[in-house]
Amino acid sequence: MSPPTSANGKDSAAARILGSGTSGIAELLIFHPVDTVAKRLMSNKAKVSFSTLSPIIFRDAASKPLVTKFLSLFPGLGYAAGYKVAQRVYKFGGQPWFNDLINKHYKTQFTNTFGERKGRMMAQAAAGSLTGIGEVVLLPLDALKIKRQVNPEAFRGRGVVRIFMEEGTTLYRGWGWTMARNAPGSFALFGASAVTKEYILGVSDFSKATWGQNFIASIAGAVASITVAAPLDTVKTRIQNANFERKVSGVTVIKDLIKNEGPSAFFKGLTPKILVVGPKLVFSYTLAQSLIPLFSKYV
């Protein structure tokens, strides 16, 4: 069963932050290399073949020893850490907060429109969508992480403080596409997870789901989310990895992509992501749910 709450029946805000933040750091260290591979494949505009795969993935380290190759998959780790920890804290705490808000003010409307059972699942999905849209505030950290992964030349030796001072709102480039990606992506994540628990696993009280049930539901939700968001994620990534001074519109990216690479290019990097969503989500979920009650004993 899921871990019990603290003695007062509710985990403290500090415990949620520490638990989910630690989960994000651990997840980052394990899965950042795979994310780098996915981002570089999505940003590559040339045809991908077996002979070109190594230079695309490892860049300048393609002909170097194995250890050097592996370490080359950790660019932008500092920015990634800031982004991942903030994202996990926001996501783990934000979605339940939005769900409570919806149930408090709009539960009757959801129930009347979809029925009690489906209304509960739609509220979960809608709360996820709102959470995803709000994630746009973290966009600067995401943009810096992506640039370090695929376009390190854009930094030209500048530190993070100087970049924030000089670039300003440029770091929010692609915010509209980010929201457009996050809204259906997070809707699918929490919605598919809820549907899996409710209809396939027969879990009506999600808080009582076993570890195995959460594992299965998380995989279903993550695969649905990443697949639904893949096209817009590719567009967002290409907008963000351009040089700071070069403004590229989403429409231009889409036109060039279809013209030069074909519609299938919208799903570049999808396979590496899907291959890790199962262990990635079950890892972060399990760790967070284990650490939050533990921290609640002390904070």
Side-chain angles (χ1 to χ4, degrees):
M1 302 296 290
S2 296
T5 56
S6 56
N8 62 3
K10 183 179 179 181
D11 295 315
S12 67
R16 290 178 184 272
I17 293 172
L18 288 171
S20 56
T22 303
S23 171
I25 292 172
E27 177 188 337
L28 174 76
L29 293 175
I30 294 174
F31 294 100
H32 186 67
V34 181
D35 183 54
T36 298
V37 171
K39 288 291 190 299
R40 288 178 177 177
L41 286 172
M42 283 191 293
S43 299
N44 173 60
K45 298 181 181 181
K47 293 290 183 180
V48 179
S49 64
F50 184 78
S51 61
T52 62
L53 198 57
S54 184
I56 292 172
I57 294 175
F58 298 110
R59 300 289 177 85
D60 295 337
S63 59
K64 296 182 179 179
L66 185 61
V67 174
T68 306
K69 284 184 177 181
F70 180 71
L71 292 177
S72 72
L73 298 178
F74 284 91
L77 188 60
Y79 302 111
Y83 173 68
K84 180 56 66 177
V85 173
Q87 182 195 44
R88 283 306 180 210
V89 170
Y90 172 78
K91 202 139 195 159
F92 284 148
Q95 193 272 345
W97 184 83
F98 277 115
N99 188 53
D100 290 342
L101 198 65
I102 290 173
N103 285 328
K104 182 178 180 180
H105 297 285
Y106 304 103
K107 184 176 181 179
T108 302
Q109 290 90 325
F110 273 82
T111 301
N112 292 339
T113 303
F114 303 104
E116 184 176 355
R117 194 179 186 188
K118 292 181 179 178
R120 185 167 60 248
M121 291 184 291
M122 286 298 296
Q124 288 278 350
S129 188
L130 291 172
T131 306
I133 291 172
E135 255 183 271
V136 73
V137 298
L138 304 176
L139 193 60
L141 289 174
D142 187 28
L144 291 174
K145 174 181 75 78
I146 292 175
K147 288 183 193 299
R148 287 295 296 174
Q149 286 176 308
V150 301
N151 188 18
E153 295 81 11
F155 285 78
R156 293 188 294 272
R158 295 180 295 174
V160 62
V161 175
R162 183 179 173 187
I163 288 176
F164 268 100
M165 292 178 62
E166 293 181 356
E167 305 301 337
T169 56
T170 304
L171 294 172
Y172 278 95
R173 182 185 295 163
W175 65 268
W177 293 97
T178 299
M179 294 174 70
R181 177 204 65 170
N182 286 357
S186 293
F187 184 94
L189 172 64
F190 292 99
S193 178
V195 168
T196 301
K197 288 181 179 178
E198 187 88 29
Y199 285 102
I200 298 177
L201 302 175
V203 180
S204 56
D205 186 349
F206 295 168
S207 65
K208 295 182 179 180
T210 64
W211 295 109
Q213 289 168 334
N214 282 321
F215 172 81
I216 296 171
S218 294
I219 293 176
V223 171
S225 174
I226 289 177
T227 303
V228 167
L232 289 176
D233 192 32
T234 299
V235 174
K236 179 192 79 77
T237 298
R238 295 199 178 186
I239 291 173
Q240 289 180 312
N241 69 24
N243 286 329
F244 288 110
E245 63 273 8
R246 184 186 171 208
K247 187 174 181 180
V248 182
S249 71
V251 175
T252 300
V253 169
I254 292 174
K255 286 181 178 179
D256 291 344
L257 187 146
I258 294 176
K259 178 182 177 181
N260 300 325
E261 303 166 64
S264 63
F266 281 112
F267 294 93
K268 277 187 174 181
L270 180 62
T271 300
K273 281 190 172 184
I274 289 181
L275 287 175
V276 301
V277 291
K280 181 177 182 178
L281 283 183
V282 76
F283 175 84
S284 60
Y285 176 84
T286 302
L287 191 58
Q289 294 301 309
S290 299
L291 290 178
I292 290 173
L294 178 64
F295 284 128
S296 287
K297 297 177 181 179
Y298 307 101
V299 294

